[in-house]
Amino acid sequence: RDALTSSFFQSSENKMRRAQENIRDVFLTEEAVSNQDGSYDDSQGNCCPGVEDNNTVVVTDENPQEVEHSRNPDDKFIEHVGGTSHIPFFEQLMNPSYSSSYSELNGSEHLTKFSAEERLVEKLHSPDLYGLKDNWDPIEIDSEIPILWHVPKTGGTTVQDIAGACHGKVIACEIGVKYGHSKDTKLKILQLQRQSYVNVDTTTLDGLIRAKRLRLVRTKSMVDLIVSPYLHEVDQLFGPPFVDGQIRGRVVTMFRHPIERAISTFNYLQIAHWEPEYRPEMQGWTVEQYATSDVIEDNWMTRQLVHVDSSTPLNMGHLQLAMDVIRRKVFVGLMSRFEESLERFEAIFQWKYTFNPTEQEACRESMLAIGSNVSPRGRGNPVPPPGTPAYNFILSHNKFDMQLYKYAESLFDEQARLVTDIEGGFRFHEASCSKCEVSTLADAGLLE
């Protein structure tokens, strides 16, 4: 039932690497033109015709915190409404006297430092992601497609269902290819499970290849929300080539404390018999057994943002790059502040009630109260207390994700400035009721 967790667990690492290679080949050749015409030149790392590669992260051994960002038009990174600079985080993390990278986050002082290898600030190319709008770009709803970068077990399915069931939006996820629709040769909108879906699966790499070939994002008329765990591959739906004035994506996501997310995943895999990675034997496992198994994730969010698999050792360069990607490209939501995050997403995407506001609001309230794809209450393992062996085992697999989460919390507050000019409760603003006898909420006396 979960739109993204299914796709995440369905493939092995080797299959994922092969699929990523295949999708990259397709995306680079599907609409490429000759080099003489200014095409994508993968050997040079250029993304767009006629666009200079000016977004490389530059780090020196003498000053590992020195970062050059020329993408921002006014170069005011700390003050910029796009979000706080991530550089101060590194001033703390790179300090040898800092005894624990998590002490401020959870009050524990017993945790080990990052290793010398992990503290290395590797020089990495910062991806352009030209198909995705920068957070500071003006909201132009007629020329952008909403995207939910879905981190499994963060409440993303609830966001998706509120968009589909309560706002009546057309969703691109795995549901649209049920009942043989993965073999359709043309795009179409289907009514499935009382919601509207386009007949592509954007939660798998093979599905994204098909969505690219069917030209999913050529117009806004076909899809209202794309849901996917693959941020870099979704970017490639929009090009190359990239041209001025084209439709682009705008990204939101929900973050959750990595330890809570790991335990939620553990509990889910014990009951998710519909998943390829369902492991009934895990029902007898302890959290320590799960944390030391080959099933547990390793810094999943960081790896997805920097586009590397679990075979690549991470260091501070990867964390720095992941922070920069979410600062530039992702509107942050927090599961711990779910309703506030949802209201922000609705404002950013300009979602307002259009067919029956009273029923739509009741639908939204119900979804918020119950949630989607949640484990049965009272079942499963609780989150272990900080300082316990189980907690530390899980933490050892999420060093970088913990820092990313900490940064996302601060970014959430910074990004509030981006919606200060949009009135609260945007879903009610000029809401209409196409299924009512009266045309607006005001006419119905539901607004002052």
Side-chain angles (χ1 to χ4, degrees):
R1 181 64 179 83
D2 190 312
L4 269 253
T5 309
S6 175
S7 68
F8 173 66
F9 288 112
Q10 71 178 3
S11 300
S12 65
E13 284 292 336
N14 289 335
K15 182 178 179 182
M16 178 178 174
R17 283 195 291 270
R18 288 196 301 271
Q20 285 176 329
E21 292 171 358
N22 292 338
I23 196 171
R24 181 171 176 78
D25 290 343
V26 170
F27 284 165
L28 297 187
T29 60
E30 184 73 14
E31 300 178 6
V33 293
S34 66
N35 284 330
Q36 290 78 7
D37 294 334
S39 69
Y40 188 104
D41 184 353
D42 188 41
S43 64
Q44 300 299 320
N46 298 322
C47 182
C48 307
V51 179
E52 181 181 356
D53 178 13
N54 63 351
N55 193 40
T56 302
V57 174
V58 179
V59 183
T60 65
D61 293 335
E62 293 76 18
N63 183 8
Q65 290 79 45
E66 180 183 351
V67 180
E68 177 186 350
H69 299 275
S70 53
R71 181 176 176 81
N72 189 328
D74 58 12
D75 288 327
K76 295 180 180 179
F77 287 92
I78 296 179
E79 296 82 13
H80 200 288
V81 294
T84 185
S85 170
H86 54 275
I87 297 174
F89 284 81
F90 284 90
E91 294 176 351
Q92 182 180 41
L93 291 175
M94 299 303 291
N95 185 348
S97 65
Y98 189 43
S99 61
S100 169
S101 59
Y102 320 109
S103 58
E104 183 179 342
L105 188 63
N106 59 35
S108 301
E109 296 292 348
H110 63 281
L111 302 173
T112 59
K113 302 177 183 179
F114 283 100
S115 68
E117 292 78 11
E118 291 170 334
R119 284 182 177 274
L120 172 69
V121 184
E122 184 179 350
K123 298 179 181 180
L124 298 170
H125 172 72
S126 185
D128 296 307
L129 298 173
Y130 280 107
L132 309 178
K133 284 200 166 186
D134 290 321
N135 286 331
W136 48 80
D137 286 340
I139 296 175
E140 299 171 327
I141 199 63
D142 291 334
S143 62
E144 55 190 61
I145 293 177
I147 296 167
L148 173 63
W149 177 51
H150 189 159
V151 180
K153 310 313 296 178
T154 61
T157 303
T158 301
V159 174
Q160 172 187 311
D161 284 348
I162 288 175
C166 307
H167 283 283
K169 301 303 179 182
V170 179
I171 311 295
C173 63
E174 86 290 353
I175 298 176
V177 295
K178 286 187 173 183
Y179 312 113
H181 288 290
S182 62
K183 298 179 181 178
D184 293 345
T185 58
K186 294 182 179 179
L187 290 176
K188 61 180 71 173
I189 296 174
L190 309 169
Q191 293 295 317
L192 301 170
Q193 300 175 2
R194 293 184 294 180
Q195 297 184 36
S196 298
Y197 299 93
V198 64
N199 59 332
V200 296
D201 181 1
T202 52
T203 69
T204 67
L205 294 170
D206 288 341
L208 284 165
I209 292 175
R210 179 171 172 270
K212 171 77 171 183
R213 287 175 171 159
L214 292 177
R215 301 174 181 265
L216 173 66
V217 300
R218 284 305 177 188
T219 68
K220 274 184 57 65
S221 61
M222 190 58 65
V223 62
D224 297 315
L225 178 66
I226 295 173
V227 181
S228 182
Y230 299 112
L231 189 65
H232 292 258
E233 286 76 16
V234 166
D235 167 68
Q236 294 295 300
L237 289 176
F238 298 88
F242 297 91
V243 296
D244 292 339
Q246 75 173 64
I247 292 175
R248 298 166 68 195
R250 190 178 290 277
V251 183
V252 301
T253 196
M254 295 292 291
F255 278 85
R256 186 180 188 180
H257 191 290
I259 306 299
E260 294 178 3
R261 196 175 79 80
I263 294 299
S264 179
T265 300
F266 176 41
N267 292 333
Y268 177 74
L269 289 180
Q270 297 177 52
I271 63 172
H273 56 82
W274 53 91
E275 297 285 5
E277 292 296 328
Y278 169 55
R279 299 279 293 273
E281 67 273 17
M282 287 174 57
Q283 295 177 12
W285 284 12
T286 64
V287 174
E288 290 89 340
Q289 286 176 297
Y290 170 66
T292 55
S293 73
D294 59 0
V295 178
I296 193 170
E297 301 168 355
D298 183 274
N299 294 291
W300 189 92
M301 294 185 295
T302 302
R303 293 182 182 280
Q304 287 291 327
L305 288 168
V306 301
H307 214 211
V308 299
D309 60 34
S310 61
S311 66
T312 302
L314 297 180
N315 59 52
M316 288 296 180
H318 295 99
L319 177 60
Q320 187 178 44
L321 181 56
M323 288 178 173
D324 187 55
V325 170
I326 63 171
R327 181 189 66 84
R328 291 190 293 119
K329 298 293 183 177
V330 180
F331 276 98
V332 169
L334 301 174
M335 190 172 181
S336 59
R337 297 164 71 174
F338 195 95
E339 188 165 3
E340 183 180 357
S341 300
L342 176 63
E343 187 156 327
R344 186 175 298 180
F345 295 168
E346 291 169 329
I348 292 167
F349 294 149
Q350 308 278 287
W351 288 347
K352 58 185 69 174
Y353 294 149
T354 59
F355 54 88
N356 192 320
T358 302
E359 291 184 3
Q360 288 178 266
E361 182 67 5
C363 170
R364 185 180 184 273
E365 291 177 355
S366 176
M367 290 284 187
L368 287 172
I370 300 173
S372 300
N373 201 51
V374 296
S375 299
R377 297 184 184 278
R379 293 183 56 183
N381 296 273
V383 176
T388 60
Y391 190 96
N392 291 345
F393 281 138
I394 298 173
L395 193 58
S396 68
H397 291 280
N398 289 278
K399 286 183 178 181
F400 296 96
D401 275 9
M402 286 288 279
Q403 290 303 320
L404 191 66
Y405 176 75
K406 182 179 177 182
Y407 177 63
E409 286 187 308
S410 68
L411 198 58
F412 181 81
D413 293 327
E414 289 286 331
Q415 289 179 345
R417 290 181 289 172
L418 288 164
V419 293
T420 54
D421 294 335
I422 303 176
E423 62 183 274
F426 184 84
R427 62 194 182 278
F428 292 111
H429 179 62
E430 296 181 352
S432 59
C433 188
S434 62
K435 295 183 178 180
C436 303
E437 293 183 2
V438 291
S439 59
T440 65
L441 278 174
D443 292 336
L446 297 177
L447 290 179
E448 295 181 359

